[in-house]
Amino acid sequence: MQKTRLDTARIRAARHVIDPVFLDTPLYRCEPLEPDLGCAVSIKLETANPVRSFKARGTELVASRLADDGQHAVVCASVGNLGQALAWSGRGRGLDVTVVATRHATVAKLDRIRALGATLELVDGDHELARDRAAAIAQQRGIRLLEDSLDIETCEGAGTIGLELVETAPPFDAVLVALGGGALATGVGHVLKEQAPHVEVLCVQPQGAPAMTRSWHQRHVVTTESTNTIADGVAGRRPIPAVLDDLLLVADDAILVQETSIITAMRMLLDQAGLVVEPSAALGVAALLEDPDRFAGRHVTTIVCGSNVDVAAYHRWVRPQPGTRRPFLRTVDAGRVGKTR
């Protein structure tokens, strides 16, 4: 395999730095999902921790290294989950954490960032404007800017998930990974391609936020003017070139799914697996819904990567209006970008 920016030895060492509360998350076969999906499905559950997402695997590394180096402040842009994770990791190490987010971010995520003691600055516009503002704050104050997916700690922290998957002697032959900035996909993908190359690494993104998927297929950075998806955790417009370079080496395909499939997947995970998940965490199941023939008879693992939801919005998504019959949606091949390499 060609070299990515990641290093497996560093990923192994990261497990001795990351708080154990974020490690060795449950991995189990979820048989109730299988009759409707037509394949064996295992779940890697990254939500049963203090910040309810995988992001702290990376922020633990960042915060630990800052503290060891005698640095006392850090800033990041976040749609919510990274900010919570950095606030949690920074609080335990006495760091001054600033998080920049859009005013349109999920209120529950913003409230949790404040509750964890971080300074929260809100900007008008989308996440890309928050990224610009965080960079400006870092320059003005002379402090560390944490850039999700670009900073290798975020990718290698996520890579510890890949180690845990490999160490189970996986019976699965494909892993479905939510694709946003790329930290999760490149981290998990790097380990799997090195340690279990027979496992297919499939990245999933919403049709309403397709920049990284389009970039993967065209093999160069493609930006978009806007995003339109409920999956705010993966709604970026400007892929990072270095991250795309890594993704091109470790991903076997990048898939786009419809909003209706994401909502149906969230309902299924609630009704059949007892899991409350945010839209980004349902992308893997959405991909199974949209292309059942591709996965028929296979054993697939999907990474459930976050469960920070706005309660009112969540209930609107997963519960039909009174008096209506809840549909089971299956749109074969809808929104899927074909494999190009």
Side-chain angles (χ1 to χ4, degrees), residues 74-80 82-84 86-87 97-101 110 113 118-122 134 137:
V74 59
V75 59
C76 76
S78 174
V79 296
L82 179 71
Q84 289 182 71
L86 185 59
V97 176
T98 300
V99 178
V100 184
L110 300 180
I113 290 170
T119 299
L120 181 64
E121 180 174 324
L122 300 179
I137 291 172

Side-chain angles (χ1 to χ4, degrees), residues 71 86 127 151 165 242 278 307 334:
Q71 299 184 54
L86 185 59
H127 179 61
D151 286 6
L165 290 172
E278 58 189 84
S307 64

Side-chain angles (χ1 to χ4, degrees), residues 124-153:
D124 295 315
D126 65 6
H127 179 61
E128 304 303 343
L129 293 178
R131 286 174 63 186
D132 293 341
R133 176 57 183 156
I137 291 172
Q139 184 174 25
Q140 291 163 7
R141 295 178 55 190
I143 63 174
R144 167 71 184 269
L145 170 65
L146 171 57
E147 294 192 73
D148 198 14
S149 303
L150 177 60
D151 286 6
I152 201 65
E153 299 98 329

Side-chain angles (χ1 to χ4, degrees), residues 25-106:
T25 52
L27 172 65
Y28 58 94
R29 186 162 171 185
C30 190
E31 293 185 29
L33 290 172
E34 297 177 356
D36 285 330
L37 296 177
C39 61
V41 180
S42 289
I43 286 173
K44 179 65 168 167
L45 189 63
E46 289 295 309
T47 62
N49 62 57
V51 298
R52 299 195 295 194
S53 82
F54 76 96
K55 293 288 189 181
R57 291 180 184 250
T59 60
E60 283 287 279
L61 300 182
V62 172
S64 177
R65 289 169 186 172
L66 286 172
D68 289 346
D69 291 342
Q71 299 184 54
H72 304 292
V74 59
V75 59
C76 76
S78 174
V79 296
N81 286 348
L82 179 71
Q84 289 182 71
L86 185 59
W88 194 94
S89 297
R91 183 181 65 176
R93 295 169 176 85
L95 300 180
D96 174 6
V97 176
T98 300
V99 178
V100 184
T102 170
R103 297 184 190 280
H104 308 295
T106 300

Side-chain angles (χ1 to χ4, degrees), residues 210-229:
M212 186 61 99
T213 296
R214 290 180 181 174
S215 298
W216 186 89
H217 284 278
Q218 296 186 33
R219 305 187 69 81
H220 64 82
V221 169
V222 177
T223 62
T224 60
E225 292 298 320
S226 62
T227 61
N228 182 23
T229 178

Side-chain angles (χ1 to χ4, degrees), residues 158-237:
T160 59
I161 299 171
L163 289 179
E164 292 168 17
L165 290 172
V166 167
E167 289 169 357
T168 62
F172 49 86
D173 56 38
V175 173
L176 291 161
V177 188
L179 179 61
L184 182 61
T186 58
V188 172
H190 170 88
V191 174
L192 288 176
K193 285 304 158 193
E194 187 176 278
Q195 305 290 320
H198 62 284
V199 175
E200 195 174 20
V201 177
L202 305 174
C203 305
V204 190
Q205 200 165 38
Q207 284 186 338
M212 186 61 99
T213 296
R214 290 180 181 174
S215 298
W216 186 89
H217 284 278
Q218 296 186 33
R219 305 187 69 81
H220 64 82
V221 169
V222 177
T223 62
T224 60
E225 292 298 320
S226 62
T227 61
N228 182 23
T229 178
I230 63 172
D232 60 335
V234 294
R237 296 189 291 109

